[in-house]
Amino acid sequence: MNLTLATDDTGGAEIFASLQGEGPSMGMPVAFVRLSRCNLACVWCDTAYTWHFEGDNRPHRNGTTFERKANQVTLSPAETATRIAALGQNRLVITGGEPLLQAGGLAEMLEHLPDISVEIETNGTVAPPPRLDIRVDQYNVSPKLSHSGNAPDLALIPERLDAWASDPRAFLKFVIAAPEDVAEVLELQRRYRFRSGQVFLMAEGTDSAAQRARQEWLAPLCMEHGFRMSDRLHIHLYGDTRGT
């Protein structure tokens, strides 16, 4: 079962080494692999080239659509694993798009990488099958709030949120665009009883200025409610670019 990956600026597969920019592993040296395709459509998505292809009428804030052929590449799980191993990192972040849509191919890929620690970044709507789940050390789950533009019945699936809340490997990372978004997080925390230290709030934004401006009011809200705050380190280091 081949994998469909996003492309970097050269048209090759988006497989690269960098520092993890977000969440509980922020600042760690890692290998990244970015898969293509997503089952949700966030209006502020900063990787719209993984899903907002020509003919897709789901809204995105800048209206740009991408040619599918130029923004997707197919590799076997074994070849993908070989390219990841060549980066020489001990930890792998699998991101997207929504990587769990390709769980079968990922499970096969990770069988070629038995000694690497694995993080999966997911929107939280798809259950990982056992063959993949046993190889994952950490889930970075980003449930989508109403400002994402996704319908709650698509983005916030109760049985999945129940499962993530009880999984010690899972961290919940909520994108916050305005102070009132935090009320939604508090309601979800009340309903699903997320553990202390499990929830991160991260300011929405694709440039350092926007990040810093929103962090000025987000930091006090994290303090008030006992949430952890995530920066977006890669935005400060490299800007909103592919392969970083």
Side-chain angles (χ1 to χ4, degrees), residues 33-48:
V33 56
R34 186 180 302 281
L35 274 65
S36 190
R37 305 203 310 262
C38 193
N39 60 328
L40 298 182
C42 298
V43 295
W44 37 254
C45 179
D46 62 351
T47 57

mmCIF file with all atom_site columns, all heavy atoms in Angstrom, residues 33-48:
data_model
loop_
_atom_site.group_PDB
_atom_site.id
_atom_site.type_symbol
_atom_site.label_atom_id
_atom_site.label_alt_id
_atom_site.label_comp_id
_atom_site.label_asym_id
_atom_site.label_entity_id
_atom_site.label_seq_id
_atom_site.pdbx_PDB_ins_code
_atom_site.Cartn_x
_atom_site.Cartn_y
_atom_site.Cartn_z
_atom_site.occupancy
_atom_site.B_iso_or_equiv
_atom_site.pdbx_formal_charge
_atom_site.auth_seq_id
_atom_site.auth_comp_id
_atom_site.auth_asym_id
_atom_site.auth_atom_id
_atom_site.pdbx_PDB_model_num
ATOM 1   N N   . VAL A 1 33 ? 7.864   13.664 8.123  1.00 0.00 ? 33 VAL A N   1
ATOM 2   C CA  . VAL A 1 33 ? 7.285   13.244 6.854  1.00 0.00 ? 33 VAL A CA  1
ATOM 3   C C   . VAL A 1 33 ? 5.872   13.800 6.808  1.00 0.00 ? 33 VAL A C   1
ATOM 4   O O   . VAL A 1 33 ? 5.116   13.669 7.766  1.00 0.00 ? 33 VAL A O   1
ATOM 5   C CB  . VAL A 1 33 ? 7.301   11.707 6.677  1.00 0.00 ? 33 VAL A CB  1
ATOM 6   C CG1 . VAL A 1 33 ? 6.583   10.990 7.822  1.00 0.00 ? 33 VAL A CG1 1
ATOM 7   C CG2 . VAL A 1 33 ? 6.692   11.311 5.333  1.00 0.00 ? 33 VAL A CG2 1
ATOM 8   N N   . ARG A 1 34 ? 5.548   14.498 5.706  1.00 0.00 ? 34 ARG A N   1
ATOM 9   C CA  . ARG A 1 34 ? 4.220   15.112 5.585  1.00 0.00 ? 34 ARG A CA  1
ATOM 10  C C   . ARG A 1 34 ? 3.420   14.376 4.521  1.00 0.00 ? 34 ARG A C   1
ATOM 11  O O   . ARG A 1 34 ? 3.821   14.322 3.357  1.00 0.00 ? 34 ARG A O   1
ATOM 12  C CB  . ARG A 1 34 ? 4.315   16.598 5.216  1.00 0.00 ? 34 ARG A CB  1
ATOM 13  C CG  . ARG A 1 34 ? 2.936   17.282 5.225  1.00 0.00 ? 34 ARG A CG  1
ATOM 14  C CD  . ARG A 1 34 ? 3.012   18.757 4.871  1.00 0.00 ? 34 ARG A CD  1
ATOM 15  N NE  . ARG A 1 34 ? 3.865   19.517 5.755  1.00 0.00 ? 34 ARG A NE  1
ATOM 16  C CZ  . ARG A 1 34 ? 3.508   19.940 6.981  1.00 0.00 ? 34 ARG A CZ  1
ATOM 17  N NH1 . ARG A 1 34 ? 2.314   19.639 7.455  1.00 0.00 ? 34 ARG A NH1 1
ATOM 18  N NH2 . ARG A 1 34 ? 4.363   20.635 7.705  1.00 0.00 ? 34 ARG A NH2 1
ATOM 19  N N   . LEU A 1 35 ? 2.280   13.832 4.954  1.00 0.00 ? 35 LEU A N   1
ATOM 20  C CA  . LEU A 1 35 ? 1.393   13.145 4.033  1.00 0.00 ? 35 LEU A CA  1
ATOM 21  C C   . LEU A 1 35 ? 0.371   14.104 3.456  1.00 0.00 ? 35 LEU A C   1
ATOM 22  O O   . LEU A 1 35 ? 0.055   15.137 4.039  1.00 0.00 ? 35 LEU A O   1
ATOM 23  C CB  . LEU A 1 35 ? 0.699   11.978 4.733  1.00 0.00 ? 35 LEU A CB  1
ATOM 24  C CG  . LEU A 1 35 ? 1.498   10.660 4.740  1.00 0.00 ? 35 LEU A CG  1
ATOM 25  C CD1 . LEU A 1 35 ? 2.776   10.796 5.559  1.00 0.00 ? 35 LEU A CD1 1
ATOM 26  C CD2 . LEU A 1 35 ? 0.654   9.512  5.278  1.00 0.00 ? 35 LEU A CD2 1
ATOM 27  N N   . SER A 1 36 ? -0.174  13.738 2.300  1.00 0.00 ? 36 SER A N   1
ATOM 28  C CA  . SER A 1 36 ? -1.183  14.534 1.628  1.00 0.00 ? 36 SER A CA  1
ATOM 29  C C   . SER A 1 36 ? -2.575  14.000 1.954  1.00 0.00 ? 36 SER A C   1
ATOM 30  O O   . SER A 1 36 ? -2.733  12.865 2.386  1.00 0.00 ? 36 SER A O   1
ATOM 31  C CB  . SER A 1 36 ? -0.945  14.495 0.114  1.00 0.00 ? 36 SER A CB  1
ATOM 32  O OG  . SER A 1 36 ? -1.747  15.422 -0.571 1.00 0.00 ? 36 SER A OG  1
ATOM 33  N N   . ARG A 1 37 ? -3.575  14.859 1.751  1.00 0.00 ? 37 ARG A N   1
ATOM 34  C CA  . ARG A 1 37 ? -5.012  14.592 1.916  1.00 0.00 ? 37 ARG A CA  1
ATOM 35  C C   . ARG A 1 37 ? -5.471  14.838 3.352  1.00 0.00 ? 37 ARG A C   1
ATOM 36  O O   . ARG A 1 37 ? -4.742  14.572 4.294  1.00 0.00 ? 37 ARG A O   1
ATOM 37  C CB  . ARG A 1 37 ? -5.420  13.179 1.489  1.00 0.00 ? 37 ARG A CB  1
ATOM 38  C CG  . ARG A 1 37 ? -5.036  12.810 0.079  1.00 0.00 ? 37 ARG A CG  1
ATOM 39  C CD  . ARG A 1 37 ? -5.915  11.697 -0.462 1.00 0.00 ? 37 ARG A CD  1
ATOM 40  N NE  . ARG A 1 37 ? -6.027  10.555 0.439  1.00 0.00 ? 37 ARG A NE  1
ATOM 41  C CZ  . ARG A 1 37 ? -5.307  9.434  0.348  1.00 0.00 ? 37 ARG A CZ  1
ATOM 42  N NH1 . ARG A 1 37 ? -4.372  9.333  -0.581 1.00 0.00 ? 37 ARG A NH1 1
ATOM 43  N NH2 . ARG A 1 37 ? -5.512  8.439  1.175  1.00 0.00 ? 37 ARG A NH2 1
ATOM 44  N N   . CYS A 1 38 ? -6.698  15.373 3.457  1.00 0.00 ? 38 CYS A N   1
ATOM 45  C CA  . CYS A 1 38 ? -7.291  15.622 4.767  1.00 0.00 ? 38 CYS A CA  1
ATOM 46  C C   . CYS A 1 38 ? -8.804  15.468 4.663  1.00 0.00 ? 38 CYS A C   1
ATOM 47  O O   . CYS A 1 38 ? -9.402  15.782 3.630  1.00 0.00 ? 38 CYS A O   1
ATOM 48  C CB  . CYS A 1 38 ? -6.945  17.030 5.279  1.00 0.00 ? 38 CYS A CB  1
ATOM 49  S SG  . CYS A 1 38 ? -7.349  17.252 7.039  1.00 0.00 ? 38 CYS A SG  1
ATOM 50  N N   . ASN A 1 39 ? -9.408  14.986 5.740  1.00 0.00 ? 39 ASN A N   1
ATOM 51  C CA  . ASN A 1 39 ? -10.869 14.835 5.788  1.00 0.00 ? 39 ASN A CA  1
ATOM 52  C C   . ASN A 1 39 ? -11.566 16.065 6.348  1.00 0.00 ? 39 ASN A C   1
ATOM 53  O O   . ASN A 1 39 ? -12.801 16.127 6.357  1.00 0.00 ? 39 ASN A O   1
ATOM 54  C CB  . ASN A 1 39 ? -11.248 13.606 6.612  1.00 0.00 ? 39 ASN A CB  1
ATOM 55  C CG  . ASN A 1 39 ? -10.744 13.682 8.043  1.00 0.00 ? 39 ASN A CG  1
ATOM 56  O OD1 . ASN A 1 39 ? -9.687  14.258 8.308  1.00 0.00 ? 39 ASN A OD1 1
ATOM 57  N ND2 . ASN A 1 39 ? -11.474 13.079 8.960  1.00 0.00 ? 39 ASN A ND2 1
ATOM 58  N N   . LEU A 1 40 ? -10.805 17.051 6.834  1.00 0.00 ? 40 LEU A N   1
ATOM 59  C CA  . LEU A 1 40 ? -11.369 18.312 7.291  1.00 0.00 ? 40 LEU A CA  1
ATOM 60  C C   . LEU A 1 40 ? -10.849 19.445 6.406  1.00 0.00 ? 40 LEU A C   1
ATOM 61  O O   . LEU A 1 40 ? -9.962  19.236 5.579  1.00 0.00 ? 40 LEU A O   1
ATOM 62  C CB  . LEU A 1 40 ? -11.010 18.570 8.759  1.00 0.00 ? 40 LEU A CB  1
ATOM 63  C CG  . LEU A 1 40 ? -11.545 17.552 9.774  1.00 0.00 ? 40 LEU A CG  1
ATOM 64  C CD1 . LEU A 1 40 ? -11.143 17.964 11.186 1.00 0.00 ? 40 LEU A CD1 1
ATOM 65  C CD2 . LEU A 1 40 ? -13.049 17.376 9.668  1.00 0.00 ? 40 LEU A CD2 1
ATOM 66  N N   . ALA A 1 41 ? -11.418 20.636 6.612  1.00 0.00 ? 41 ALA A N   1
ATOM 67  C CA  . ALA A 1 41 ? -11.018 21.796 5.807  1.00 0.00 ? 41 ALA A CA  1
ATOM 68  C C   . ALA A 1 41 ? -11.034 23.025 6.704  1.00 0.00 ? 41 ALA A C   1
ATOM 69  O O   . ALA A 1 41 ? -12.060 23.679 6.846  1.00 0.00 ? 41 ALA A O   1
ATOM 70  C CB  . ALA A 1 41 ? -11.964 21.982 4.627  1.00 0.00 ? 41 ALA A CB  1
ATOM 71  N N   . CYS A 1 42 ? -9.893  23.327 7.316  1.00 0.00 ? 42 CYS A N   1
ATOM 72  C CA  . CYS A 1 42 ? -9.797  24.491 8.195  1.00 0.00 ? 42 CYS A CA  1
ATOM 73  C C   . CYS A 1 42 ? -9.566  25.740 7.343  1.00 0.00 ? 42 CYS A C   1
ATOM 74  O O   . CYS A 1 42 ? -8.670  25.753 6.486  1.00 0.00 ? 42 CYS A O   1
ATOM 75  C CB  . CYS A 1 42 ? -8.663  24.318 9.197  1.00 0.00 ? 42 CYS A CB  1
ATOM 76  S SG  . CYS A 1 42 ? -8.893  22.911 10.315 1.00 0.00 ? 42 CYS A SG  1
ATOM 77  N N   . VAL A 1 43 ? -10.336 26.772 7.608  1.00 0.00 ? 43 VAL A N   1
ATOM 78  C CA  . VAL A 1 43 ? -10.245 27.971 6.777  1.00 0.00 ? 43 VAL A CA  1
ATOM 79  C C   . VAL A 1 43 ? -8.898  28.656 6.918  1.00 0.00 ? 43 VAL A C   1
ATOM 80  O O   . VAL A 1 43 ? -8.462  29.379 6.012  1.00 0.00 ? 43 VAL A O   1
ATOM 81  C CB  . VAL A 1 43 ? -11.379 28.965 7.098  1.00 0.00 ? 43 VAL A CB  1
ATOM 82  C CG1 . VAL A 1 43 ? -12.725 28.386 6.753  1.00 0.00 ? 43 VAL A CG1 1
ATOM 83  C CG2 . VAL A 1 43 ? -11.334 29.408 8.553  1.00 0.00 ? 43 VAL A CG2 1
ATOM 84  N N   . TRP A 1 44 ? -8.187  28.443 8.038  1.00 0.00 ? 44 TRP A N   1
ATOM 85  C CA  . TRP A 1 44 ? -6.885  29.072 8.255  1.00 0.00 ? 44 TRP A CA  1
ATOM 86  C C   . TRP A 1 44 ? -5.727  28.093 8.063  1.00 0.00 ? 44 TRP A C   1
ATOM 87  O O   . TRP A 1 44 ? -4.588  28.404 8.410  1.00 0.00 ? 44 TRP A O   1
ATOM 88  C CB  . TRP A 1 44 ? -6.801  29.670 9.660  1.00 0.00 ? 44 TRP A CB  1
ATOM 89  C CG  . TRP A 1 44 ? -7.487  28.872 10.726 1.00 0.00 ? 44 TRP A CG  1
ATOM 90  C CD1 . TRP A 1 44 ? -8.667  29.168 11.337 1.00 0.00 ? 44 TRP A CD1 1
ATOM 91  C CD2 . TRP A 1 44 ? -7.028  27.638 11.318 1.00 0.00 ? 44 TRP A CD2 1
ATOM 92  N NE1 . TRP A 1 44 ? -8.979  28.200 12.271 1.00 0.00 ? 44 TRP A NE1 1
ATOM 93  C CE2 . TRP A 1 44 ? -7.996  27.255 12.278 1.00 0.00 ? 44 TRP A CE2 1
ATOM 94  C CE3 . TRP A 1 44 ? -5.915  26.820 11.138 1.00 0.00 ? 44 TRP A CE3 1
ATOM 95  C CZ2 . TRP A 1 44 ? -7.883  26.088 13.040 1.00 0.00 ? 44 TRP A CZ2 1
ATOM 96  C CZ3 . TRP A 1 44 ? -5.796  25.652 11.888 1.00 0.00 ? 44 TRP A CZ3 1
ATOM 97  C CH2 . TRP A 1 44 ? -6.773  25.296 12.823 1.00 0.00 ? 44 TRP A CH2 1
ATOM 98  N N   . CYS A 1 45 ? -5.992  26.922 7.510  1.00 0.00 ? 45 CYS A N   1
ATOM 99  C CA  . CYS A 1 45 ? -4.962  25.883 7.390  1.00 0.00 ? 45 CYS A CA  1
ATOM 100 C C   . CYS A 1 45 ? -3.705  26.417 6.703  1.00 0.00 ? 45 CYS A C   1
ATOM 101 O O   . CYS A 1 45 ? -3.772  27.051 5.650  1.00 0.00 ? 45 CYS A O   1
ATOM 102 C CB  . CYS A 1 45 ? -5.514  24.705 6.586  1.00 0.00 ? 45 CYS A CB  1
ATOM 103 S SG  . CYS A 1 45 ? -4.312  23.368 6.341  1.00 0.00 ? 45 CYS A SG  1
ATOM 104 N N   . ASP A 1 46 ? -2.529  26.152 7.307  1.00 0.00 ? 46 ASP A N   1
ATOM 105 C CA  . ASP A 1 46 ? -1.275  26.627 6.715  1.00 0.00 ? 46 ASP A CA  1
ATOM 106 C C   . ASP A 1 46 ? -0.609  25.567 5.843  1.00 0.00 ? 46 ASP A C   1
ATOM 107 O O   . ASP A 1 46 ? 0.493   25.790 5.345  1.00 0.00 ? 46 ASP A O   1
ATOM 108 C CB  . ASP A 1 46 ? -0.314  27.131 7.798  1.00 0.00 ? 46 ASP A CB  1
ATOM 109 C CG  . ASP A 1 46 ? 0.091   26.053 8.782  1.00 0.00 ? 46 ASP A CG  1
ATOM 110 O OD1 . ASP A 1 46 ? -0.478  24.954 8.743  1.00 0.00 ? 46 ASP A OD1 1
ATOM 111 O OD2 . ASP A 1 46 ? 0.997   26.312 9.610  1.00 0.00 ? 46 ASP A OD2 1
ATOM 112 N N   . THR A 1 47 ? -1.265  24.418 5.653  1.00 0.00 ? 47 THR A N   1
ATOM 113 C CA  . THR A 1 47 ? -0.769  23.408 4.718  1.00 0.00 ? 47 THR A CA  1
ATOM 114 C C   . THR A 1 47 ? -1.875  23.036 3.738  1.00 0.00 ? 47 THR A C   1
ATOM 115 O O   . THR A 1 47 ? -2.112  21.862 3.459  1.00 0.00 ? 47 THR A O   1
ATOM 116 C CB  . THR A 1 47 ? -0.246  22.151 5.445  1.00 0.00 ? 47 THR A CB  1
ATOM 117 O OG1 . THR A 1 47 ? -1.299  21.604 6.261  1.00 0.00 ? 47 THR A OG1 1
ATOM 118 C CG2 . THR A 1 47 ? 0.968   22.483 6.301  1.00 0.00 ? 47 THR A CG2 1
ATOM 119 N N   . ALA A 1 48 ? -2.555  24.052 3.213  1.00 0.00 ? 48 ALA A N   1
ATOM 120 C CA  . ALA A 1 48 ? -3.669  23.803 2.299  1.00 0.00 ? 48 ALA A CA  1
ATOM 121 C C   . ALA A 1 48 ? -3.221  23.084 1.034  1.00 0.00 ? 48 ALA A C   1
ATOM 122 O O   . ALA A 1 48 ? -4.044  22.458 0.348  1.00 0.00 ? 48 ALA A O   1
ATOM 123 C CB  . ALA A 1 48 ? -4.365  25.118 1.948  1.00 0.00 ? 48 ALA A CB  1
#
